[in-house]
Amino acid sequence: MSKQINKVAITGGTHGNELTGVYLINKYKKNPDLVKRDSFQTIFMHTNVGAMQKCTRYVDKDLNRTFIKKDLANPEKYCYEDVLAKNINEKLGPKGAEKTAVDFIVDLHSTTSDMGLSIVIDNDSELTWQIASYLKEKEPNLHIFRWKGDTKEVSFVNSITKDGFAIEVGPIPQGVLRADLFFETEKLVGHILDYFEKLNTNQLNKTYKTLEIYDHVKLLDFPRGEDGEICATVHPNLQDNGYYKLSKGDPLFITLEGEVINYDENDEMYALFINEAAYYEKGFAMCLTEKKSISL
Ligand SMILES: [Zn+2]
C-alpha cells in the first residue's frame, strides 16, 4: 500500500456515558507524547461534551447516527448533536471529500454487553482492513465485527473519513470506568499508531489476504406484546456471553412468566451486542452475525 498517513484523529465521548473513551482522551490531553509518532500528527478530542457533562448517551439525539451527508449540509438541522456533527465534520472532514482534514478516525466506545475487545468496521477501504488484520495479529483476542447498520447511510463519527473504525469494549456499565478494558483500549490505540508509523516508513513487509470476522446479518428486537412493550428478555444462556453461537432450537429469549422462546432459524449465527442497554430505545435485543473468513 502506498498510502501516506498525515493526520489521525482519536475521538472519545461520542456517547457521553461511555467513560473509557472520555478518560483515555483526558489522559492524552495530559500526556500528548503517548500518541506522538514522528511521521504523522495525531489529534484527539472529546466529541460530545454536553452528553459527557450529563453522563448520558446524548443530549438530543445519538451523535453516532448523525453524520448523514444531506443533514450535515442542512441549515434547518440545529439540535445539539446536529450542530456538533457539523462542527466535527468541518474539523475532521468533510465527509465524502476526496481529501479530508484527517486521514483516519478511531472512535472510542464501550458497551454494556460482553463484547470483549472489538472493533466495528463499516467501510470496505483497503487500509482499514489491513490494519484490522494487523491488530488481530497483535491481539489475538480481538473480535472484528463488520457492521451493516441500522441507517441507510453509515452515520458514525468515523464515517467522516474513508478509513477508520470504532473500538467497542465491554461489558462496562454506562457511566463506569473499568480498568482492564481501559488499558486494553489504550494498548490497541498504541498498536494503531504504530501501524501508521510503520506504513509511513516502509516497515510493513506483509499484506494480509484473509481475515476472520463476524459479519452483520440482522438486528433482532425483543419479543413484544400487542401494546409494543417488551414481554421477554434475553435468555440467561446468552446474558454476559458475547459472540454466543446460536443453533436451531437453542434458548433465545425468556418471557417474564418464564416461558423459553427458542432460536428458530436454520442458519447458525453468532449473537453479539446482547442486551446492550443503549439499544433498548432502538428496539434491538442483539445483533446476529455470521462468522466467516473473508478475502481482503
Ligand atoms: Zn458508544
Side-chain angles (χ1 to χ4, degrees):
M1 238 175 327
S2 55
K3 187 161 180 154
Q4 184 81 12
I5 295 294
N6 297 312
K7 207 167 179 180
V8 174
I10 304 165
T11 51
T14 296
H15 294 136
N17 54 9
E18 296 176 359
L19 302 192
T20 309
V22 171
Y23 281 91
L24 192 51
I25 299 297
N26 281 347
K27 182 168 176 176
Y28 294 151
K29 281 184 178 174
K30 286 185 191 137
N31 312 279
D33 282 355
L34 292 172
V35 289
K36 209 165 173 232
R37 300 292 185 277
D38 291 337
S39 69
F40 62 94
Q41 189 193 352
T42 305
I43 61 166
F44 40 85
M45 60 189 279
H46 287 130
T47 40
N48 196 340
V49 173
M52 282 163 45
Q53 283 164 348
K54 290 170 180 275
C55 198
T56 55
R57 184 170 175 88
Y58 54 78
V59 176
D60 289 325
K61 67 197 265 201
D62 189 341
L63 179 63
N64 212 32
R65 300 293 185 282
T66 304
F67 292 85
I68 294 169
K69 266 187 263 172
K70 70 170 183 18
D71 291 350
L72 293 168
N74 181 355
E76 312 257 296
K77 293 268 179 186
Y78 51 74
C79 83
Y80 182 71
E81 274 82 8
D82 286 329
V83 174
L84 276 186
K86 287 174 194 175
N87 290 339
I88 295 164
N89 186 51
E90 224 166 83
K91 207 174 272 178
L92 306 183
K95 181 172 177 173
E98 199 41 52
K99 181 79 192 116
T100 43
V102 301
D103 301 303
F104 201 102
I105 298 174
V106 181
D107 195 29
L108 307 174
H109 290 261
S110 64
T111 166
T112 63
S113 71
D114 176 31
M115 294 279 283
L117 181 66
S118 302
I119 59 176
V120 181
I121 301 181
D122 56 47
N123 63 57
D124 54 9
S125 94
E126 187 191 359
L127 173 64
T128 300
W129 286 96
Q130 285 297 315
I131 187 163
S133 308
Y134 171 86
L135 295 174
K136 177 79 184 165
E137 194 174 79
K138 289 279 172 198
E139 300 295 331
N141 64 340
L142 176 70
H143 300 283
I144 293 148
F145 169 39
R146 178 159 66 178
W147 168 262
K148 294 207 185 113
D150 55 350
T151 52
K152 234 187 202 165
E153 176 185 334
V154 178
S155 45
F156 290 168
V157 169
N158 58 273
S159 72
I160 295 172
T161 46
K162 254 188 295 187
D163 293 292
F165 50 70
I167 299 179
E168 190 72 75
V169 296
I172 305 180
Q174 295 177 338
V176 168
L177 183 59
R178 181 176 157 144
D180 52 355
L181 291 166
F182 175 86
F183 291 115
E184 280 197 53
T185 302
E186 183 182 19
K187 194 167 161 204
L188 200 66
V189 171
H191 288 319
I192 295 166
L193 300 177
D194 291 345
Y195 180 91
F196 294 135
E197 183 77 346
K198 288 180 186 173
L199 177 72
N200 284 348
T201 53
N202 290 320
Q203 290 179 69
L204 291 171
N205 43 17
K206 190 166 173 184
T207 303
Y208 299 91
K209 301 282 186 210
T210 60
L211 182 62
E212 187 183 86
I213 68 160
Y214 293 86
D215 208 7
H216 182 121
V217 175
K218 62 178 169 185
L219 293 155
L220 200 62
D221 193 7
F222 293 95
R224 289 176 189 270
E226 277 172 15
D227 56 0
E229 288 289 325
I230 288 170
C231 61
T233 189
V234 296
H235 190 275
N237 285 10
L238 280 79
Q239 184 63 50
D240 309 323
N241 229 338
Y243 297 90
Y244 187 85
K245 186 176 166 186
L246 279 171
S247 306
K248 190 171 180 161
D250 286 347
L252 181 62
F253 293 111
I254 186 162
T255 69
L256 305 187
E257 287 69 41
E259 187 194 333
V260 174
I261 301 169
N262 291 331
Y263 175 69
D264 194 30
E265 298 186 32
N266 291 319
D267 297 326
E268 203 169 77
M269 298 269 184
Y270 287 79
L272 47 95
F273 277 120
I274 297 165
N275 217 354
E276 156 59 42
Y279 289 174
Y280 275 67
E281 67 174 23
K282 295 182 190 289
F284 312 140
M286 66 189 74
C287 180
L288 296 185
T289 67
E290 215 181 326
K291 188 178 184 178
K292 56 163 86 152
S293 177
I294 58 166
S295 302
L296 302 176

